[in-house]
Amino acid sequence: MSRIARKKRDFLRITDLSREELTELVERAAEWKLLGKGGPRPLDRMTLGLIFEKASTRTRVSFEVAAYQLGGNAMFLSPRDTQLGRGEPIRDTARVLSRYLDALVVRTFEHAKLEELASQADVPVVNALTDASHPCQIVADLLTVAERFGQDAIGREDLSVAWIGDGNNMANSWLEACARLGFTLRLACPEGYDPDPALLAQAGRHARVFRTPREAVEGALVVNTDVWASMGQEGEAAKRIRDFAGYIVDDALLAAADSRAIVLHCLPAHRGEEISEAVLEGPRSVVFDEAENRLHAQKALLELLLAG
């Protein structure tokens, strides 16, 4: 028997939310930021299970702190400490944990594994990162953009966002946000490193891939990048350094952006590779505000999924 009488909601991709829900989620995250540690405690006596197969700093800490500040509790579940690490079927784990916990926050490699777990769980499942998508980070990023340019900016076509580097899970989630909200997304990726073509098609005229960073950054209000080799791709690092030569966000590249442009990076950063030390620590960088906003975004998301 399900422990949740109402229909449960998962958050596996940005497109699990409508345009209105996404903008309201960002607005609510801003409200939670103003409330700080005060405000309501809608997760009273609720417990989250955090199943993490990948290392994490910001995602894990922000979810644990968010649960606590909302009146709930979080339990970290490493695969090496659970039966998942010994081959228990995902469907069995999902059904059992649904009887103990109020939600599952999952950080894993294959997106299909997350989808299987969500299909079997009776409680909400949140994507805390897969190889295909990182939707929680995008909510925090949108909050950071809204703080600088106004809440309505994230839904305007004249907001130009540049993505420089790998067409990875972050690029995919930016494409989904672009499709939902209608801002302009310009991606600079080397040949062979494009984002998901289906998501690019879904974004339609709002998104375009370029082969040189300067083309993507021209006039942009938001300049965004990420590491060239994500978790699980360490063996490709040397090749990727060669393939991504010239794809660094530095002062010379920023000169082509709008004079008001801000720089985002989801962290951790490899200074001197995808971003220069001067830019990361410079006046246009908002990466540490962006990191803080993970907490406020998680609070808004958990409230939506668990308290309605």
Side-chain angles (χ1 to χ4, degrees):
M1 181 184 298
S2 171
R3 296 184 59 215
I4 295 185
R6 61 184 174 81
K7 179 176 172 55
K8 69 118 171 179
R9 291 196 65 178
D10 300 317
F11 185 60
L12 309 187
R13 289 186 175 275
I14 283 289
T15 46
D16 287 338
L17 301 177
S18 68
R19 176 188 173 95
E20 293 74 20
E21 288 173 326
L22 182 54
T23 55
E24 288 174 6
L25 187 66
V26 174
E27 290 175 0
R28 184 57 175 159
E31 292 173 357
W32 277 113
K33 189 169 186 175
L34 290 174
L35 288 169
K37 296 180 182 180
R41 297 168 67 84
L43 267 59
D44 183 42
R45 300 193 182 191
M46 293 187 184
T47 302
L48 308 181
L50 275 59
I51 303 176
F52 280 36
E53 293 185 329
K54 286 188 172 187
S56 172
T57 297
R58 283 151 291 276
T59 302
R60 176 181 173 178
V61 174
S62 60
F63 266 112
E64 290 196 17
V65 174
Y68 174 75
Q69 292 186 3
L70 294 178
N73 179 44
M75 178 181 297
F76 184 73
L77 301 167
S78 167
R80 62 179 173 269
D81 299 325
T82 64
Q83 297 300 333
L84 270 176
R86 299 180 62 214
E88 181 174 43
I90 292 173
R91 62 183 181 274
D92 292 357
T93 296
R95 288 181 289 184
V96 169
L97 292 182
S98 294
R99 300 196 177 210
Y100 303 143
L101 303 168
D102 297 282
L104 293 171
V105 179
V106 184
R107 188 176 179 93
T108 188
F109 290 89
E110 302 89 352
H111 195 81
K113 181 184 291 187
L114 177 76
E115 292 176 328
E116 181 184 357
L117 193 150
S119 72
Q120 297 295 324
D122 292 330
V123 297
V125 174
V126 175
N127 179 1
L129 181 143
T130 66
D131 288 347
S133 180
H134 196 4
C136 292
Q137 178 69 54
I138 297 299
V139 179
D141 291 358
L142 292 172
L143 171 59
T144 309
V145 173
E147 287 176 332
R148 295 310 185 281
F149 302 115
Q151 176 66 38
D152 66 325
I154 62 175
R156 294 202 314 260
E157 191 168 1
D158 62 357
L159 173 69
S160 178
V161 177
W163 175 266
I164 311 301
D166 191 17
N168 60 11
N169 49 9
M170 284 294 301
N172 287 339
S173 289
W174 271 108
L175 278 169
E176 292 188 316
C178 161
R180 272 291 180 262
L181 297 175
F183 58 80
T184 298
L185 180 63
R186 298 160 65 88
L187 306 102
C189 307
E191 290 276 2
Y193 294 96
D194 288 354
D196 186 329
L199 296 179
L200 186 62
Q202 186 180 53
R205 63 183 176 83
H206 297 290
R208 185 179 172 188
V209 174
F210 296 87
R211 294 303 174 208
T212 66
R214 186 179 179 85
E215 288 179 291
V217 167
E218 190 76 41
L221 272 176
V222 180
V223 179
N224 201 346
T225 190
D226 192 9
V227 296
W228 294 337
S230 300
M231 285 179 285
Q233 298 173 334
E234 291 81 3
E236 305 173 21
K239 181 179 186 300
R240 284 172 173 261
I241 287 174
R242 294 192 300 271
D243 292 346
F244 284 87
Y247 280 75
I248 183 172
V249 177
D250 56 13
D251 287 325
L253 183 63
L254 280 185
D258 189 285
S259 60
R260 300 166 293 161
I262 60 173
V263 175
L264 300 178
H265 191 306
C266 62
L267 300 179
H270 291 169
R271 290 166 168 83
E273 289 187 10
E274 77 277 358
I275 190 167
S276 70
E277 174 83 13
V279 168
L280 187 67
E281 300 292 350
R284 295 194 184 191
S285 171
V286 293
V287 298
F288 294 102
D289 292 337
E290 177 189 6
E292 178 196 338
N293 285 340
R294 293 297 305 277
L295 171 62
H296 314 302
Q298 309 323 18
K299 291 170 80 170
L301 178 64
L302 292 173
E303 180 186 40
L304 171 68
L305 298 179
L306 292 172

